[in-house]
Amino acid sequence: MIMADLLEVKNLTKYYPVEKGVFKQSVGTVKAIDGVDFSIAVKETLGLVGESGCGKTTCGRLIANLLPPTGGQVLFDDEDIYSLRGKHLTAFRKKVQVLFQDPFSSLDPRQSIYDIITEPIRIHRLHNKKDTRTKVEELLGLVGLPNDIVNGYPHQLSGGQRQRIGLARILSLNPRLIIADEPVSSLDISIQAQIINLFKDLQQKYDLSYLFISHDLGVVKHIAHRIAVMYRGKIMELADSEELFARPFHPYTKMLIQSIPSIRTRKNAVLAGLEKDELPVPVKGCAFYARCAKAEDRCREMVPILEPKGEKHFVCCWNPE
Amino acid sequence: MQNLLEIKDLNVEYYKGGQAIPAVRGVDLAVKPGEIIGLVGESGCGKSSIALSIMRLIPPKQGKIISGQILFAGRDIVKFSEDECRDYRGNKIGMVFQEAFSSLNPVFKVGDQIKEAIKLHNPDLGQEECRQRSIDALRLVNIPQPKERYGSYPHQLSGGMQQRAMLAMALACHPQLLIADEPTTALDVTIQSQILDLLVKFKSELTMSILMITHNLAIVSQIADTVAIMYAGQIVELASREKIFNNPLHPYTIGLLNSVPDIATRKERLVQITGQIPDPGNLPDGCPFDPRCPEALTACKDAGPLMVEIEEQHFVRCFKQINVTQG
Ligand SMILES: Nc1ncnc2c1ncn2[C@@H]1O[C@H](COP(=O)(O)OP(=O)(O)OP(=O)(O)O)[C@@H](O)[C@H]1O
Ligand SMILES: Nc1ncnc2c1ncn2[C@@H]1O[C@H](COP(=O)(O)OP(=O)(O)OP(=O)(O)O)[C@@H](O)[C@H]1O
Ligand SMILES: [Mg+2]
Ligand SMILES: [Mg+2]
């Protein structure tokens, strides 16, 4: 059951300057996020999918208020997160947590595992020393790690173990929204399944919301209630999970669904329309134009907008079918 | 055919709080020229430790190769001096590390880092030629706008671009053996497929061998000639791709195949192998998979099974399978 909106993203943009030479002359911009709208309800998981470089991490960092936007708004509990200051900002930083893409560089190699897990507790002064011990054991239990792991250092852990430490660490703050940036893509499948099940259990237990970022539609399908498909900084399609797989409208979504590899059929991913450097970044028209098999003249001329197409289903395409 | 790489009875230990932790326990593995071996197994089973052993990059204060041989074109890498190792690394054996970001230097431009690697391995080439090859390498791994991206610093690239930049660097030196440790975890399926195709091309055109370390069985099913399944520091099943996927014999392999999320069905809960991998510092006396094994026999508690060739070129480390074949 989906409740009220926890997070609302309105026309969010983030442009990075492309600089050249010693004087850092700006020679253009990378439109990492280009006018994005969506919302996440309490206890909802929104999956954000798209290919490498489309802007998923940037979007996650913007929502966590770790990066200033170029334009647009993000409302959390109806408050504009970019105007939060002082204790309101501190409170926000507790409620919204990020699980980073790279479990290797996100853990400080000089800190012991115990110090890593308890750092947020110390920063926010949540527990005394004794309670912290108990809390750590509880957290380790939640993510399925043995207690004695806390005496070690990150380099002694495998990739999967590190990612679980990252999860234990942010759970210590009882967040309401977790932005999980590719949380399982570096894990092996049996642990992927465990972690996805764990995400679901935690959601039930603590009414958590997730922005679940992944390049893998197959994984997202198993956890997200709704899915947003992103291409070059824009949302191309947004719908309930089941609906998106049953009735994809956007040619890009269709391509993504078709290219999910399966060990059962052992089919190869569909290689239609590759992302190549020859493809110009269009100044006008649809971002997907150059790769689209269905492209028409107006697709080259006019930018499509995300419009409703059926119940709770939105598509950004001039020619959806 | 002569093996390019032959690992014999490799044992690797780490030290933790004064205790020795066995991470790799008696691994035998051979790679032929132009062969792609998929090394699969759960997190912590020792895959990266094998890779680091081949590169002789196990951090000396943290662990070491206890025993065994790693023969590369007939010469034992384990006995190499540091100078010989340096000559092999990059040149003859290329590696894409699991932690793409931490293996790129944050203060240098990505293109320059690749250029330096090329220059190091081809001292006769001019700067401009190296630069051009660096751009070509970026293009080869499908980084969009490679000319512009040449000047990007690692943090300005997305996760998947960093991973591809690492691969570009390894491939630019045309190694005979490429060790790729989870090289595509950050890549979506379309780009991943392009990368896999690229690897297959290197394999067939340059007879490059690849040791592909991954947890992703879909990747293995796409490109591996041979698959090695690893559990708690040991290889537990070794066979051709066809045999592993069509006739898996070890209960662990069967469990792994069952836990692959299947797009055709949306299950409320994914199938998972119950339990966890044993703590390498505290391994059971018997078969390490015994506590989780749905098919465990009483014999499995007492001693670990040996690797046995159950059918031609299909090796399994499991008492149940040994019993079956012995009637
Ligand atoms: N600090 C930065 N400076 C300049 N460009 C940047 C910076 N950070 C990201 N970019 C660019 O913004 C675009 C989007 O990057 P982002 O990391 O959000 O992608 P992503 O969807 O997370 O990709 P991946 O799946 O590979 O992680 C990329 O072209 C990237 O190079
Ligand atoms: N530097 C180290 N010091 C101590 N223990 C280590 C060290 N590196 C690895 N280990 C331990 O050795 C075992 C094997 O680790 P390894 O990194 O080889 O696993 P892996 O199969 O590559 O796992 P993953 O899929 O998560 O990368 C693990 O139990 C790990 O905790
Ligand atoms: Mg990313
Ligand atoms: Mg590893």
Side-chain angles (χ1 to χ4, degrees):
Chain A
M1 228 249 331
I2 304 294
M3 297 183 259
D5 278 346
L6 179 67
L7 181 93
E8 229 178 308
V9 175
K10 293 180 173 173
N11 199 17
L12 194 62
T13 53
K14 177 72 188 178
Y15 298 165
Y16 290 109
V18 180
E19 288 156 347
K20 231 183 176 153
V22 260
F23 299 110
K24 303 245 182 249
Q25 265 178 308
S26 182
V27 291
T29 50
V30 175
K31 296 184 174 179
I33 294 290
D34 198 11
V36 159
D37 298 271
F38 62 80
S39 63
I40 302 178
V42 174
K43 226 175 160 178
E44 184 186 33
T45 303
L46 178 73
L48 181 61
V49 299
E51 67 194 7
S52 179
C54 74
K56 304 180 294 297
T57 298
T58 304
C59 185
R61 295 179 69 92
L62 285 170
I63 289 169
N65 203 347
L66 297 173
L67 204 64
T70 305
Q73 253 192 336
V74 175
L75 305 180
F76 183 84
D77 268 344
D78 297 324
E79 279 184 307
D80 178 356
I81 65 165
Y82 302 117
S83 55
L84 294 174
R85 297 288 178 269
K87 66 175 198 285
H88 299 286
L89 184 59
T90 313
F92 173 83
R93 296 224 181 278
K94 257 161 65 182
K95 286 186 245 169
V96 178
Q97 289 295 315
V98 189
L99 195 57
F100 287 103
Q101 182 163 10
D102 187 348
F104 292 95
S105 47
S106 53
L107 304 183
D108 181 350
R110 283 156 314 204
Q111 285 194 353
S112 75
I113 303 296
Y114 188 83
D115 290 340
I116 289 174
I117 298 183
T118 55
E119 187 182 58
I121 297 179
R122 276 180 280 122
I123 290 175
H124 293 281
R125 295 198 197 92
L126 294 181
H127 301 286
N128 63 28
K129 268 208 169 118
K130 185 165 150 284
D131 290 351
T132 304
R133 279 261 164 216
T134 328
K135 183 76 188 171
V136 167
E137 285 177 11
E138 178 196 325
L139 293 167
L140 289 171
L142 277 177
V143 298
L145 288 173
N147 285 337
D148 61 3
I149 208 163
V150 295
N151 302 319
Y153 287 82
H155 69 255
Q156 299 171 327
L157 305 181
S158 64
Q161 292 171 319
R162 291 184 216 202
Q163 196 60 304
R164 289 200 260 181
I165 294 292
L167 191 59
R169 180 186 144 93
I170 63 174
L171 286 173
S172 68
L173 294 172
N174 301 320
R176 295 182 57 203
L177 172 67
I178 294 181
I179 297 164
D181 192 353
E182 309 270 8
V184 299
S185 53
S186 67
L187 306 183
D188 59 83
I189 40 168
S190 56
I191 292 174
Q192 272 192 7
Q194 288 171 13
I195 299 270
I196 287 180
N197 290 340
L198 176 63
F199 266 93
K200 288 186 181 179
D201 293 343
L202 293 169
Q203 180 161 57
Q204 288 307 320
K205 216 165 166 178
Y206 301 115
D207 290 352
L208 281 170
S209 303
Y210 298 120
L211 176 66
F212 193 97
I213 297 175
S214 178
H215 59 263
D216 187 344
L217 256 184
V219 165
V220 169
K221 186 185 186 190
H222 288 278
I223 186 165
H225 300 107
R226 284 186 303 144
I227 297 177
V229 177
M230 193 145 106
Y231 184 76
R232 286 191 174 173
K234 285 198 155 77
I235 291 184
M236 292 290 154
E237 188 156 7
L238 179 71
D240 277 352
S241 234
E242 313 258 328
E243 162 82 5
L244 189 85
F245 280 91
R247 268 175 301 279
F249 283 113
H250 201 285
Y252 180 58
T253 313
K254 288 183 185 169
M255 197 184 105
L256 284 182
I257 292 175
Q258 274 166 21
S259 58
I260 295 172
S262 155
I263 62 159
R264 311 253 185 265
T265 56
R266 226 174 292 160
K267 73 175 180 206
N268 278 318
V270 183
L271 291 182
L274 305 179
E275 179 80 320
K276 279 273 169 59
D277 73 292
E278 299 86 72
L279 293 183
V281 181
V283 269
K284 49 183 186 173
C286 174
F288 191 60
Y289 174 78
R291 288 169 80 181
C292 186
K294 295 266 181 319
E296 306 170 340
D297 282 348
R298 66 175 160 171
C299 303
R300 194 181 49 214
E301 300 298 328
M302 287 184 293
V303 181
I305 45 173
L306 195 63
E307 285 180 319
K309 177 101 183 149
E311 203 198 338
K312 287 170 62 192
H313 194 151
F314 300 85
V315 187
C316 177
C317 179
W318 288 122
N319 203 8
E321 52 180 296
Chain B
M1 206 183 341
Q2 183 86 26
N3 289 324
L4 177 67
L5 181 79
E6 214 172 311
I7 301 178
K8 290 183 177 168
D9 197 22
L10 180 69
N11 289 280
V12 177
E13 279 181 6
Y14 293 104
Y15 317 114
K16 201 153 132 192
Q19 200 199 350
I21 310 280
V24 177
R25 304 186 296 137
V27 162
D28 296 302
L29 192 66
V31 188
K32 295 190 187 69
E35 184 181 28
I36 302 185
I37 300 233
L39 182 60
V40 186
E42 248 165 313
S43 185
C45 70
K47 304 181 296 292
S48 296
S49 301
I50 294 183
L52 292 175
S53 300
I54 301 171
M55 297 300 278
R56 283 279 304 276
L57 287 175
I58 301 269
K61 291 220 178 63
Q62 297 164 18
K64 79 173 201 215
I65 299 176
I66 296 297
S67 61
Q69 289 182 308
I70 301 173
L71 302 174
F72 185 83
R75 298 187 58 212
D76 190 358
I77 294 181
V78 177
K79 300 215 172 70
F80 276 5
S81 68
E82 192 44 45
D83 280 348
E84 285 173 299
C85 291
R86 220 169 293 133
D87 180 48
Y88 265 67
R89 275 179 219 138
N91 253 340
K92 299 203 164 93
I93 309 181
M95 174 145 180
V96 180
F97 292 90
Q98 192 167 7
E99 52 272 50
F101 188 71
S102 18
S103 31
L104 290 167
N105 190 328
V107 300
F108 293 109
K109 291 172 182 164
V110 169
D112 282 340
Q113 293 187 46
I114 298 174
K115 188 187 83 178
E116 285 313 311
I118 295 172
K119 180 81 189 151
L120 200 65
H121 295 290
N122 305 280
D124 304 338
L125 287 183
Q127 288 293 339
E128 186 47 38
E129 173 69 19
C130 290
R131 195 186 124 83
Q132 203 50 51
R133 283 205 195 180
S134 167
I135 294 171
D136 291 344
L138 288 171
R139 182 177 295 116
L140 202 61
V141 294
N142 280 314
I143 291 196
Q145 275 101 31
K147 270 203 209 83
E148 288 75 30
R149 287 301 182 181
Y150 182 97
S152 293
Y153 291 92
H155 77 272
Q156 296 175 325
L157 299 183
S158 76
M161 290 173 184
Q162 289 165 4
Q163 213 167 33
R164 281 174 280 165
M166 278 298 299
L167 184 65
M169 193 167 345
L171 290 177
C173 303
H174 296 290
Q176 283 170 273
L177 171 67
L178 176 73
I179 303 174
D181 195 353
E182 306 278 9
T184 61
T185 47
L187 304 180
D188 50 281
V189 276
T190 37
I191 296 181
Q192 176 178 295
S193 272
Q194 294 162 33
I195 295 295
L196 296 182
D197 286 351
L198 179 73
L199 292 180
V200 170
K201 200 171 138 211
F202 268 75
K203 162 201 149 107
S204 43
E205 289 176 11
L206 300 169
T207 46
M208 181 177 81
S209 308
I210 303 173
L211 179 62
M212 171 68 95
I213 296 176
T214 177
H215 60 259
N216 188 335
L217 285 166
I219 293 181
V220 168
S221 78
Q222 268 184 56
I223 71 162
D225 302 304
T226 305
V227 181
I229 307 281
M230 205 175 167
Y231 189 79
Q234 298 178 320
I235 290 179
V236 297
E237 184 161 1
L238 178 75
S240 68
R241 170 180 63 180
E242 284 68 28
K243 286 190 174 126
I244 291 282
F245 284 97
N246 298 333
N247 183 27
L249 293 178
H250 199 289
Y252 179 61
T253 312
I254 296 169
L256 278 184
L257 289 169
N258 283 338
S259 58
V260 177
D262 192 351
I263 199 67
T265 55
R266 183 191 153 115
K267 301 169 207 150
E268 241 341 285
R269 292 185 72 80
L270 296 173
V271 184
Q272 60 186 56
I273 304 175
T274 50
Q276 280 159 31
I277 55 166
D279 173 6
N282 201 358
L283 292 167
D285 294 335
C287 169
F289 191 57
D290 168 72
R292 301 171 77 182
C293 184
E295 319 240 10
L297 311 169
T298 35
C300 306
K301 294 245 178 319
D302 302 330
L306 297 174
M307 196 73 150
V308 172
E309 188 167 7
I310 297 280
E311 51 175 338
E312 210 202 334
Q313 293 299 311
H314 193 161
F315 300 85
V316 185
R317 199 185 274 277
C318 174
F319 282 126
K320 184 172 169 258
Q321 293 304 335
I322 298 170
N323 284 353
V324 171
T325 45
Q326 288 171 349

